[in-house]
Amino acid sequence: MMTDIPFLTLFPKTSLICFILFLSAYALVIAEELIKMPKSKPVLIAGGLIWAIIGFMGVQTNQSALISEAIEHQLLEYGELLLFLLVSMCYVNALEERQIFSALRQFLVQKGFSYRALFWITGFLAFFISPVADNLTTALILCAVVMALGVGQPKFVGLSCINIVVAANAGGAFSPFGDLTTLMVWQKGVLPFFDFFKLFLPSVMNFLVPALFMHFALPKGAPTPLNNSIKIKKGGVSACLLFLLTILTAISFQHLLHLPAVLGMMLGFGYLQILSYHLNRRFGSDISFDVFRKIQN
């Protein structure tokens, strides 16, 4: 939409300034670990300045109405994307709070799997979880599991984390929910939902080929079993089922009702809120959400 604004082509210096601001913000995002500044801060500043420059040029060329239309269009797309991801993050946070992932880690250790078996198990989990929970969230969660499993085995941790990142990105490519870009493509209506699954076999190959090469460099042996016992909190399994129901609801809104998928996700968030209310009323322990602090970063 921004490329449709005529004065951006009439005033090349304006376009250049906006481009430099964008690159500067991107550089600060990349340097987040070095400068200890959350990536949201430079992005917000750059975005505000870019729109301010565009707005100023719009006033100078009597095209403020066009600017307002472009901003409303961008905000609508951004709002839909933000609300969609917010619901997804709330569900993942709820599963984490209900100790679903901690129980998974304990299960993997207590079964006596070797390091090589854990490498493949976590890889396949990343590949099949990322289409639902998005690749970044999947990678963060399963890498934390691997780090807990591989204490004293840096080679196992390093190779397994690489494998998880590759698998999560490969798995996220064949689903609209797997990555920010695929979600944007689906919400925009560029591709129907089921067309993404044509990428399943290429995605599998992108995961398996690097994993096969890394397999032979893995250490032998198995992690030491854990002594502590972790139980899934009440409502954990229900939250998993409601997450799947929420995904189906979003798909139904898009394909059956021809409404934005984000409305289905918001309805699904209501499912989770009702579950939290039920748990609070019956057991005095509702689901706590820590997702807003994460979004701020």
Side-chain angles (χ1 to χ4, degrees):
M1 190 67 174
M2 194 181 295
T3 56
D4 297 332
I5 302 175
F7 61 74
L8 286 179
T9 56
L10 296 176
F11 299 94
K13 289 184 179 180
T14 302
S15 301
L16 180 61
I17 293 172
C18 293
F19 184 64
I20 291 173
L21 284 171
F22 169 78
L23 287 181
S24 300
Y26 206 85
L28 291 173
V29 168
I30 296 173
E32 179 183 14
E33 291 296 324
L34 181 64
I35 63 178
K36 307 301 180 184
M37 178 190 293
K39 61 178 72 70
S40 60
K41 293 177 171 54
V43 170
L44 287 171
I45 294 296
L49 290 176
I50 289 172
W51 278 114
I53 293 171
I54 293 173
F56 176 77
M57 297 305 299
V59 171
Q60 299 300 312
T61 56
N62 296 318
Q63 296 190 34
S64 296
L66 182 61
I67 302 301
S68 297
E69 181 184 349
I71 291 176
E72 290 174 1
H73 177 80
Q74 296 291 337
L75 284 177
L76 178 60
E77 289 192 350
Y78 173 77
E80 289 185 4
L81 191 63
L82 176 63
L83 290 174
F84 197 105
L85 293 174
L86 177 64
V87 175
S88 179
M89 291 173 66
C90 282
Y91 264 103
V92 172
N93 188 80
L95 298 182
E96 187 176 3
E97 192 269 344
R98 293 288 101 179
Q99 296 188 340
I100 294 292
F101 303 114
S102 298
L104 171 63
R105 180 182 63 197
Q106 178 181 259
F107 170 80
L108 293 176
V109 174
Q110 290 184 343
K111 285 296 181 180
F113 293 117
S114 66
Y115 287 117
R116 291 188 173 184
L118 290 171
F119 171 86
W120 285 102
I121 290 171
T122 53
F124 275 106
L125 285 174
F127 184 82
F128 287 106
I129 292 176
S130 61
V132 178
D134 89 68
N135 52 14
L136 177 60
T137 303
T138 302
L140 289 173
I141 291 171
L142 287 177
C143 283
V145 171
V146 163
M147 291 174 69
L149 293 173
V151 177
Q153 288 288 345
K155 180 178 285 188
F156 165 75
V157 172
L159 291 174
S160 294
C161 286
I162 293 172
N163 185 48
I164 287 169
V165 171
V166 172
N169 279 277
F174 72 88
S175 165
F177 303 95
D179 185 75
L180 185 62
T181 51
T182 56
L183 180 58
M184 292 171 67
V185 168
W186 179 55
Q187 284 196 325
K188 190 72 174 178
V190 177
L191 285 177
F193 180 82
F194 293 102
D195 279 10
F196 285 91
F197 291 96
K198 295 177 181 178
L199 296 173
F200 178 76
L201 288 179
S203 297
V204 171
M205 295 306 296
N206 275 286
F207 157 52
L208 289 181
V209 172
L212 285 171
F213 281 100
M214 288 185 283
H215 170 84
F216 298 102
L218 290 166
K220 298 180 180 180
T224 304
L226 298 173
N227 295 324
N228 58 324
S229 178
I230 300 174
K231 293 184 179 179
I232 298 175
K233 293 183 180 179
K234 293 186 182 298
V237 176
S238 298
C240 290
L241 296 175
L242 289 179
F243 193 13
L244 295 177
L245 179 60
T246 297
I247 298 299
L248 292 176
T249 303
I251 297 170
S252 299
F253 266 65
Q254 181 92 349
H255 286 272
L256 300 181
L257 304 179
H258 303 289
L259 293 172
V262 65
L263 295 178
M265 292 297 287
M266 296 303 294
L267 176 58
F269 188 45
Y271 304 158
L272 185 61
Q273 294 288 349
I274 293 297
L275 175 63
S276 180
Y277 171 79
H278 168 72
L279 294 173
N280 187 38
R281 293 279 294 180
R282 186 169 182 181
F283 305 106
S285 173
D286 58 353
I287 300 174
S288 61
F289 299 100
D290 194 29
V291 69
F292 297 101
R293 179 182 61 79
K294 296 179 180 178
I295 291 177
Q296 186 180 4
N297 295 327

